[in-house]
Amino acid sequence: MTPSPTGTASQDRTVGYALTGACGGFARTLLATTRRTDGVRPTVLCDRDTEGVHALARSLGHGADELVTAGTPEEVAEITRSGRIAVVGEIDLLAGADYDILVEATGSPAAGHRAARRALLDGRHVAMVSKEVDSVAGVALATLAADRGLVYTPAEGDQPANLILWYERLSGLGLEILALGKSGEYDLVYDPEAGTVTQLGTTLPAPGLGALLRLGDDVPATLAARAEAVAGLKRSAAADHCEMAVVASATGFTADTPALRYPVARVSELADVYAHREHGGVRDRDGVLDVFSVLRLPEEASFAGGVFAVVRTHDDETWETLRAKGHLVSRDGRYGCLYLPFHAMGVETPATLRRAVREGAGVSSRPPRQHAVLAGRAATDLPAGTTLTLHGHHHEVTGVAPVLHAVDEVPADTAPFYLAAGSRLARDVAEGTLLTLDDLDRPDPELLAAWRAGRSLPRA
């Protein structure tokens, strides 16, 4: 299939996608979904573990003859033209494939950037799942795409895209949005009979939470007491900060505290929790991004990594009507909260792929700009020669804390977190110090160039 110029593709054509990081959890949800989705199909799957790709495909019901491993661009081209799925172990082999849009899901800042940039230069659209890439190079990649009449967009099913879409929808309704955010990945489930709180597989005693299930009159005091009660659980993650950095680029909203607030809150409380401080909430200003930790009872539904927007109420009777319908309105009536209690990973992504290829549109109507910097602050003294290695499901860096700053709050040479990740330190970095570009010994040159290009663009 030959890519069509943006906005001119047939509305009923089948969208062919290439997928990098094809053995990951996101990849499985997408591949499982597109087995059942009309008009969207994989044409090439890229992962260093090519045998793992075949095994995954078999577990999803693909026949043994549907997938063929290729070792040259010519073989990839022949396989994809025949209607079969090519499996490749190297990003460079994607150049020979017949596809419309790349779904980049490696999670690797350097490799993901290289794959996305190569796809755009080859005339293919890009749906970006690797938020690590997006937080560093998203602005530059979106600019390259626009210059070539292509779409570069976050992918629905991931929280950044879902929150950006929610922002676009509510803005289009004329609502005054004051705060945007999402829940952390794992709920805090309080068992009142056992007096314990469980997050994923960790259960701790928390007898004090039973008396804190209601906000009370002093919201900040209640939130502080809840945080103390669950202090034994790690609730923040680099992934959360990274996702908010992507949302910042699309919306201009930024965090009002670099570490994010992570209030321990019940879903029904969000309109009160994210009220302005002068009205009893936690916000210091408008235009704020944040993440909250869901507190719920075992029988209550999860927020499921969903997204929310806090808005100013504009007509008392309208919002009292909405309150009666079950919508979240603050106790004083000043604020409302509208939310989507889910993100379904690759199950939602086909909507992005169809929109990009058939309509020439991404999840946002406005070009992203570098409104925020996802930076790294040394959590301990780091000696020269230290390798800042990514690790774990949430792509943390040992000894470096992620912090989200408005771009004008930090020096111009501040290093983005996922440019620093994978680099070696060229000199000692003291505890509490933001990493700078000069601290890094030969960071990936293409990723560095993309960061500088995106940061230099005007934000107006």
Side-chain angles (χ1 to χ4, degrees), residues 289-303:
L289 295 174
D290 201 33
V291 176
F292 81 104
S293 297
V294 177
L295 175 63
R296 65 175 178 88
L297 301 178
E299 66 273 14
E300 293 176 335
S302 172
F303 201 69

Side-chain angles (χ1 to χ4, degrees), residues 385-404:
T386 298
T387 299
L388 304 177
T389 304
L390 285 177
H391 65 85
H393 173 66
H394 292 118
H395 283 188
E396 311 277 353
V397 176
T398 301
V400 181
V403 285
L404 187 61

Side-chain angles (χ1 to χ4, degrees), residues 54 64-71 75-76 79 82 84-88:
H54 282 276
D65 60 345
E66 290 184 67
L67 279 75
V68 181
T69 298
E75 290 175 352
V76 173
I79 293 164
S82 73
R84 294 173 295 171
I85 302 170
V87 178
V88 300

Side-chain angles (χ1 to χ4, degrees), residues 65-150:
D65 60 345
E66 290 184 67
L67 279 75
V68 181
T69 298
T72 68
E74 293 75 21
E75 290 175 352
V76 173
E78 179 183 351
I79 293 164
T80 55
R81 279 197 300 266
S82 73
R84 294 173 295 171
I85 302 170
V87 178
V88 300
E90 298 296 334
I91 288 169
D92 291 342
L93 293 175
L94 294 174
D98 188 16
Y99 71 96
D100 300 298
I101 185 166
L102 170 70
V103 181
E104 208 308 299
T106 62
S108 167
H113 171 254
R114 185 161 61 90
R117 188 171 186 275
R118 182 73 262 165
L120 293 171
L121 291 174
D122 287 343
R124 321 290 179 162
H125 307 291
V126 172
M128 181 56 70
V129 177
S130 299
K131 49 192 171 285
E132 301 85 355
V133 177
D134 223 344
S135 68
V136 180
V139 174
L141 289 170
T143 301
L144 175 62
D147 289 345
R148 301 178 72 84
L150 298 166

Side-chain angles (χ1 to χ4, degrees), residues 411-432:
D413 66 346
T414 300
F417 187 88
Y418 285 111
L419 176 63
S423 300
R424 294 175 71 249
L425 291 180
R427 57 192 184 187
D428 295 344
V429 178
E431 179 181 354

